[in-house]
Amino acid sequence: MSKVYRHKTWMILLMAILCGMMSVLAQTGVSVEKPNVIIIYTDDQGAVDMGCYGASDMFTPNMDRLAAEGTRFTQAYVTAPVCAPSRAGLLTGKYPQNAGLTNNTSARPGSHGMPTDQYTMAELFKDNGYATGHIGKWHLGMSVETGPNAQGFDYSFGHLRGCIDNYSHYFYWSGPNIHDLYENGKEVFYPGKYFPDLISDKALTFIEDHKYQPFFMYYAINMPHYPYQPTEKWRKHYKDKAIPAPRADYAAFVSTIDERIGFLLDKLEALKIRDNTIIIYQSDNGHSTELRAFKGGGSAGPYRGAKSSLFEGGIRLPAIISWKANLPESIVNDEMLLNIDWLPTLAALCGLEKVPDNIDGLDLSEMLRYPGKQSLRDLAFWKYGNQWVVRKGPWKLIGFPKDTSKKGALHPENDILFLSNLDEDVSEMHNQALQYPEKVQDLIDTYSKWEHADVEDIPKVSKIIKHKGFRAKIESTDELHPKYNNIGVLLDGKMGFRDYSTGQWIGQESGDLEFIVDLGEQESIRTISLQYLHQPHYWIFGPRYFELSFSDDGVHYSEPIASENTNSINLRTEGIDRLIQKVHQTTQFIKIKIRNVGACPSWHSGAGSPAWVFIDEILIE
């Protein structure tokens, strides 16, 4: 046999072996070259607001196409029910508490957000040779140090605050209005240009510019977050279908997203890199029921809750992963997944090195490669404001639940711990805590072992305190806020829990509160105190002080005396506290005026906006 013939024979055999290896790698979901990664993170999109999730009144062919070309999850969660901490969890692979960002960030220029020592997904990809781009919403810090370019992104275009007008690009939560559009840290101006088109164009350009090298793009689409500003094409589409407001404008905004996802998919196909691009689609939190969103528009379908709630509708959201020709297609996965799991999962799929070991996310890549494989995720925790959750298997326990969807009433005491078996009742409309006390205790024990649990998180049994003002007659001299006007709670002897929405608190926005208490007869009084909430992330601040004046006839009152406030009400601490004033008076009538701080302080995200004051039991002793 000649050397040439032997050489050709070996070359043919080698090529056959290589082809066989490539075939095996493709079948097992391992690309022969580093795949591109695009994470599409929408903003306030409801749990079922996509055709493939059952929204029959919504046109989303490109989202549905992604689902058909990949895996659609029915139990995909985010680790926070609002924007900023959800995004921090996604980009760090950590619970928001470990990512150092548990609430929405301040809109104040130069204010810090997610700590600079956090190692982000962008930094991980960059350290593995990827070009990295952020396009759209940031909401993780206003300072240079906490901006996108300092957190691992080579390129960034978008707005830094929570939302903008899509034509003027001004942040408008509070005056004066502030322009908010930046490219690589430099303010840029595109007056009148439709922001969804701007970010779509920037995304397509980023893909075009990096088609010959692996890239990671965080495509943080700001829709359908208010203001609802869909294109006229889609507004007309839903008007013609006679869908009522605000659902029509919201749906038109979702279809506006969908159309631009179609532009992205077409670009990948045209460049012939679609099969080597992993696409993840997920919403950051549930749909908004805020006033600026016309109190709705989105839908959580069978789930209770919405944005800002830890019921399913606030955290259980649409999620899809698609990697054509590398991962199985047309799969519906019912296993549990958290957004913090994407970082280690993508690292495994892309063969990345230098993956941090201090993350909370789990590598679920094997579950994606082999449909039917059980998730490694069986346990999860949430904590947002007063609310907290432990999920263990199908069982879910919520502490201090808040239902922003208003699907049902919550009893201020009986429902303060809310137990559900999600396999049996995904609606969470029936509290099973009294039926399964052992399960409640087991989940409390599990939650208490979590590093961010606090002994104060566990509700205590209400005890009635009988004082000299107990169930006395009380009236307000001003009209109370219609949501918080159950004036009897101020003298019912019960201490309110750490949740302003339970019905145990009297609240007032911006203005002061004033009450007159009639003890029924002359009483000798030594002290008067009142309980208050201080929860800045809800724009609730302790009162500056309260004033007391006394009367024997209910007509003529003494000069007021002011309580001494030694509490640090303007610091970022949270919780319940009490103001106390010694009086040494004998009287029948007491006038109590509670002074609101008036406006959110300068360090707050809502600086200058009206502040709330919430008070509960007035102890007269």
Side-chain angles (χ1 to χ4, degrees), residues 30 52 76 85 90 98 152-153 161 195 219 221 240 245 283 313 341 350 395 436 504 537 553 555:
V30 180
C52 58
L90 169 75
N98 290 329
F153 289 101
R161 296 169 177 84
F195 185 68
Y219 192 14
I221 296 174
D240 291 344
S283 174
D341 298 327
C350 299
W395 291 97
Y436 297 103
Q504 301 169 306
H537 72 282
D553 57 11
V555 177

Side-chain angles (χ1 to χ4, degrees), residues 252-561:
F253 220 13
V254 173
S255 290
T256 301
I257 302 171
D258 183 84
E259 186 173 37
R260 279 139 194 81
I261 290 173
F263 298 160
L264 183 143
L265 295 177
D266 291 346
K267 183 69 170 180
L268 294 173
E269 295 283 3
L271 295 175
K272 302 187 184 307
I273 57 174
R274 172 69 180 94
D275 289 2
N276 196 43
T277 301
I278 300 172
I279 301 175
I280 289 172
Y281 184 105
Q282 192 168 25
S283 174
D284 67 342
N285 49 250
H287 68 285
S288 173
T289 56
E290 297 162 274
L291 182 61
R292 297 181 185 92
F294 306 104
K295 298 185 178 181
S299 174
Y303 310 128
R304 187 175 191 174
K307 181 179 181 179
S308 299
S309 170
L310 291 181
F311 280 114
E312 294 291 278
I315 54 176
R316 181 169 175 162
L317 303 165
I320 297 167
I321 183 170
S322 174
W323 186 13
K324 288 182 64 178
N326 287 275
L327 288 177
E329 300 184 17
S330 297
I331 301 298
V332 177
N333 189 306
D334 298 323
E335 297 291 321
M336 183 163 53
L337 172 147
L338 268 63
N339 64 339
I340 57 176
D341 298 327
W342 287 126
L343 188 151
T345 300
L346 284 171
L349 291 175
C350 299
L352 304 185
E353 299 176 348
K354 305 177 184 177
V355 182
D357 58 8
N358 64 339
I359 60 175
D360 301 304
L362 301 176
D363 173 11
L364 303 183
S365 58
E366 290 300 292
M367 181 184 77
L368 300 178
R369 291 187 176 113
Y370 305 105
K373 191 176 182 66
Q374 189 172 352
S375 174
L376 297 176
R377 171 70 64 190
D378 185 58
L379 180 67
F381 302 98
W382 288 262
K383 191 172 186 179
Y384 175 66
N386 303 321
Q387 304 170 77
W388 56 266
V389 167
V390 55
R391 166 90 190 263
K392 188 177 182 181
W395 291 97
K396 178 183 176 184
L397 182 68
I398 312 178
F400 302 102
K402 182 179 180 182
D403 181 9
T404 50
S405 65
K406 308 297 183 187
K407 284 192 173 181
L410 289 167
H411 190 279
E413 294 179 35
N414 297 342
D415 290 331
I416 207 67
L417 286 171
F418 199 102
L419 178 70
S420 297
N421 184 316
L422 297 177
D423 284 352
E424 298 174 357
D425 177 23
V426 77
S427 74
E428 295 179 290
M429 293 302 295
H430 310 286
N431 189 358
Q432 296 180 289
L434 294 178
Q435 186 178 353
Y436 297 103
E438 298 87 358
K439 180 57 67 176
V440 170
Q441 189 57 54
D442 173 60
L443 291 171
I444 287 175
D445 292 344
T446 301
Y447 173 74
S448 297
K449 294 174 184 175
W450 187 41
E451 60 182 313
H452 299 292
D454 189 287
V455 66
E456 294 298 322
D457 294 337
I458 312 304
K460 299 174 178 62
V461 177
S462 294
K463 296 180 180 179
I464 295 179
I465 300 173
K466 293 185 178 181
H467 52 94
K468 291 184 177 180
F470 177 62
R471 294 181 180 172
K473 182 180 178 181
I474 182 171
E475 61 181 28
S476 175
T477 60
D478 297 309
E479 185 176 355
L480 294 173
H481 193 284
K483 286 186 178 180
Y484 313 105
N485 59 6
N486 183 19
I487 194 170
V489 302
L490 295 178
L491 296 173
D492 66 356
K494 296 180 180 179
M495 300 298 122
F497 295 125
R498 290 197 304 171
D499 187 341
Y500 70 90
S501 64
T502 60
Q504 301 169 306
W505 297 87
I506 299 296
Q508 188 72 284
E509 185 181 26
S510 183
D512 299 331
L513 290 166
E514 186 176 85
F515 305 98
I516 294 177
V517 177
D518 180 357
L519 300 176
E521 61 183 4
Q522 293 278 316
E523 291 281 2
S524 177
I525 301 167
R526 307 184 77 176
T527 63
I528 296 177
S529 65
L530 63 89
Q531 182 169 265
Y532 68 85
L533 275 174
H534 183 64
Q535 295 176 334
H537 72 282
Y538 287 132
W539 297 24
I540 299 171
F541 301 87
R544 287 186 292 151
Y545 57 88
F546 68 88
E547 295 175 344
L548 299 169
S549 52
F550 308 94
S551 173
D552 293 331
D553 57 11
V555 177
H556 304 93
Y557 283 85
S558 64
E559 287 295 314
I561 59 173

